[in-house]
Amino acid sequence: MPLRCGAGSVGRGRAARRAPRTGAAGAAGRSGAALPAASSRLSLLPCRVSFMNNQKPQKPTLSGQRFKTRKRDEKERFDPTQFQDCIIQGLTETGTDLEAVAKFLDASGAKLDYRRYAETLFDILVAGGMLAPGGTLADDMTRTNVCVFAAQEDLETMQAFAQVFNKLIRRYKYLEKGFEDEVKKLLLFLKGFTESERNKLAMLTGILLANGTLNASILNSLYNENLVKEGVSAAFAVKLFKSWINEKDINAVAVSLRKVNMDNRLMELFPANKQSVEHFSKYFTEAGLKELSEYVRNQQSIGARKELQKELQEQMSRGDPFKDIILYVKEEMKKNNISEQTVVAIIWSSVMSTVEWNKKEELVAEQAIKHLKQYSPLLAAFTTQGQSELTLLLKIQEYCYDNIHFMKAFQKIVVLFYKAEVLSEEPILKWYKDAHLAKGKSVFLEQMKKFVEWLKNAEEGKQQLSSYGELVHFGNLMQ
């Protein structure tokens, strides 16, 4: 039986307002009749209980925030096998037409993730499928014959494949780094390939080096100890340099090697006990690469000359006796096959670099004569040939022109060396006639005019030099 909320003091409250007034109670309420107090209190409690029971129980919730991942941010599973299947299917459809292959690769870059699967892509194009560590193809993997290793072993075919790589990398520039890494890896895998496959890879690499698709730094992989020890590196280098020089020339090859500081490392293609100019020259000359042999010989000579000049300067700064210096230089000449003309130029440069010259033109000539007189015996030991004397004359001319304070000292230096028997008549006359440089030509020829006339007219030669030398010393000759 439902409870009714009565009137009175409680009826005037909230409960009284909510409950409808009906029947006798309503009439009583309207008439002002008061209900008993106990009845009023009893009616309040059920109303409150009924209100609370009508509330729905709240469900438990987890604390924190929930982030919704966008579809574009969800990473796809790395699946090179599926990528390989797509590429091989396309290559199978194109066949051996490399123009069609290039077009297929160009179009596929818009659909397939070349950036992510660059290694797999280049493995397929070179070897026909994904390579396992060591350079082998897994037996259970699908493969294609549209690849470098399955092509004919000739330069023309490799040039056509080089065009495929060129077009692909020009179209997708981000593949450059991945391709260089791939070639470095392939060079380390050379032992895992057949001789024919190595030859094809060598020819292709040489062509790509020539046209700039690859950087010469990839050749560092050939210095791998195992490849060098078994002779794989040297044999591979023969094919590589042949195709490289065929595309360009030895000068272009030299520039590329110099840029990556590899111009002095080619002998490292051989084991340590065979790293000599003679062995390198013999090996590559017999393989038909005489120009490369000559280049390496020249580079070795340049290195030896730098070392010689450095040691000479140290010996001079220590004040070592000339006889010891001369003995050392002659040993180095013999050891490194350095000519006397080269040596006299090195000695001149070393002698002139050991002094801090006076900045005043009127004083530097006297300082130079005093300094060079001291080193005349050393220079005389390496001017035993007319060509060596002429080389020294040209070096003196060049130095005096490049250092303006020495412009007026040229003739005095030449006379000093003539008197000290470093220079002789014939080379001086030849220099004056037609062997001089263009640098400061008019100034130096004018300075030498009277001395040359004296040389031509002198009948007693060096016996008259003493009086002539005095004239030069006091500066009266050129007045």
Side-chain angles (χ1 to χ4, degrees), residues 161-171 208 211 213:
F161 265 100
Q163 285 301 312
V164 172
F165 286 103
N166 287 339
K167 290 176 182 178
L168 178 62
I169 292 170
R170 280 201 303 266
R171 176 67 177 84
L208 293 172
N211 61 33
T213 304

Side-chain angles (χ1 to χ4, degrees), residues 322-339:
F322 286 157
K323 63 176 184 178
D324 293 343
I325 296 176
I326 291 169
L327 182 62
Y328 164 74
V329 172
K330 287 185 175 180
E331 287 177 353
E332 289 297 307
M333 287 173 65
K334 185 177 179 181
K335 177 182 173 183
N336 295 297
N337 194 29
I338 304 175
S339 67

Side-chain angles (χ1 to χ4, degrees), residues 358-362 364-365 400 402-409:
N358 200 304
K359 300 299 182 184
K360 294 184 178 180
E361 188 175 350
E362 61 273 16
V364 76
C400 290
D402 291 340
N403 298 272
I404 193 167
H405 299 305
F406 282 82
M407 287 291 284
K408 293 182 179 179

Side-chain angles (χ1 to χ4, degrees), residues 76-97:
E76 295 181 6
R77 185 169 63 91
F78 184 71
D79 189 3
T81 304
Q82 184 178 357
F83 176 85
Q84 176 183 245
D85 292 341
C86 293
I87 294 294
I88 289 179
Q89 181 182 352
L91 293 176
T92 303
E93 293 173 359
T94 61
T96 56
D97 182 359

Side-chain angles (χ1 to χ4, degrees), residues 31-67:
S31 63
L35 294 174
S39 174
S40 169
R41 284 193 297 273
L42 286 173
S43 65
L44 180 62
L45 182 60
C47 285
R48 287 178 179 171
V49 172
S50 175
F51 175 75
M52 292 177 65
N53 287 342
N54 288 336
Q55 295 265 345
K56 291 184 179 179
Q58 293 184 349
K59 295 181 180 179
T61 58
L62 294 173
S63 62
Q65 294 178 325
R66 182 179 177 184
F67 294 97

